[in-house]
Amino acid sequence: MRTSAGRQDLHSGLHRNPDVVVRDMELTSQGWHVLRRTTFDYRRRDGRWVTQQRETYDRGNGAVVLPYDAERGRIPLTRQFRYPADVNDHPDGMLVEAAAGLLDADDPPAAIRRESAEELGVTLGPLTHVLDAYMSPGSVTERLHFHAAPYTPADRTGAGGGIEEDCEDIEVLELPFGDALAMVRDGRITDGKTILLLQWAALDGPFAAADVR
């Protein structure tokens, strides 16, 4: 995962919705990412205009991928410490996730291949676009691009584990797909983007015809 320096200002030229008029925008924090407080007028469905204030956290857009080996029935996931989950009632903050990262200056396919190599040590085959989704639209601007791609044991071309200079310490887990679904059911996988990709793989993707109960 990398920083999103140099990303486009999503708030510039905001005029797509005629029922929203921005009155004021305040930059409240600019650390690794950007936090803004915006005051705007909003026209309700009954025609009345009201003034609202919202804070938005802009961390850039991202991409996530689920590599899969349909022949062996396996998928590689990551496990790493997530401090926000740790402080919000997760047992230890160690989340099992699909490989993901910010786009930075890359397009989604390039970002996905970069993150797969860095985190999993896997060189991906042809990419399938699954969906795009806003994961926390009440406050976070990020739009996440979901993909899947085949891989084989021969595509394990690196050790994975993340980038040490970015303080990443990522464990690679190669799991039977049925075990990963069971981890969703019993709460061992609680990461939203990963759950979406696993459900897609079971319903419409490479494991849709398999008995993975």
Side-chain angles (χ1 to χ4, degrees), residues 103-189:
L103 298 185
D104 292 328
D106 291 331
D107 60 20
I112 284 170
R113 294 188 183 280
R114 180 193 72 216
E115 295 297 329
S116 180
E118 292 176 356
E119 296 190 3
L120 300 171
V122 171
T123 299
L124 298 173
L127 294 174
T128 296
H129 176 252
V130 176
L131 56 89
D132 296 337
Y134 297 93
M135 299 303 291
S136 187
S139 58
V140 181
T141 63
E142 181 186 28
R143 182 161 51 105
L144 199 57
H145 304 274
F146 291 72
H147 288 72
Y151 84 105
T152 69
D155 297 321
R156 293 293 300 271
T157 53
I163 301 176
E164 188 170 350
E165 52 264 37
D166 288 348
C167 298
E168 292 183 327
D169 180 27
I170 298 172
E171 180 184 2
V172 180
L173 308 174
E174 189 177 49
L175 301 173
F177 182 73
D179 289 0
L181 282 184
M183 292 171 70
V184 173
R185 297 187 188 103
D186 65 23
R188 285 176 291 164
I189 292 180

Side-chain angles (χ1 to χ4, degrees), residues 35-48:
L35 182 66
R36 292 181 175 89
R37 182 182 297 115
T38 302
T39 303
F40 58 91
D41 295 337
Y42 172 73
R43 181 160 50 195
R44 294 165 49 94
R45 288 177 297 153
D46 61 10
R48 289 185 294 127

Side-chain angles (χ1 to χ4, degrees), residues 1-62:
M1 177 102 37
R2 304 183 184 208
T3 64
S4 48
R7 62 180 174 271
Q8 180 183 3
D9 182 358
L10 300 178
H11 295 261
S12 62
L14 186 61
H15 53 76
R16 289 182 293 274
N17 189 336
D19 296 326
V20 177
V21 178
V22 174
R23 296 300 182 189
D24 183 64
M25 191 177 301
E26 177 187 0
L27 179 65
T28 59
S29 177
Q30 189 168 10
W32 192 34
H33 303 305
V34 177
L35 182 66
R36 292 181 175 89
R37 182 182 297 115
T38 302
T39 303
F40 58 91
D41 295 337
Y42 172 73
R43 181 160 50 195
R44 294 165 49 94
R45 288 177 297 153
D46 61 10
R48 289 185 294 127
W49 285 90
V50 295
T51 299
Q52 299 184 356
Q53 192 174 77
R54 296 289 185 270
E55 288 189 345
T56 55
Y57 188 52
D58 179 12
R59 60 189 308 273
N61 292 329

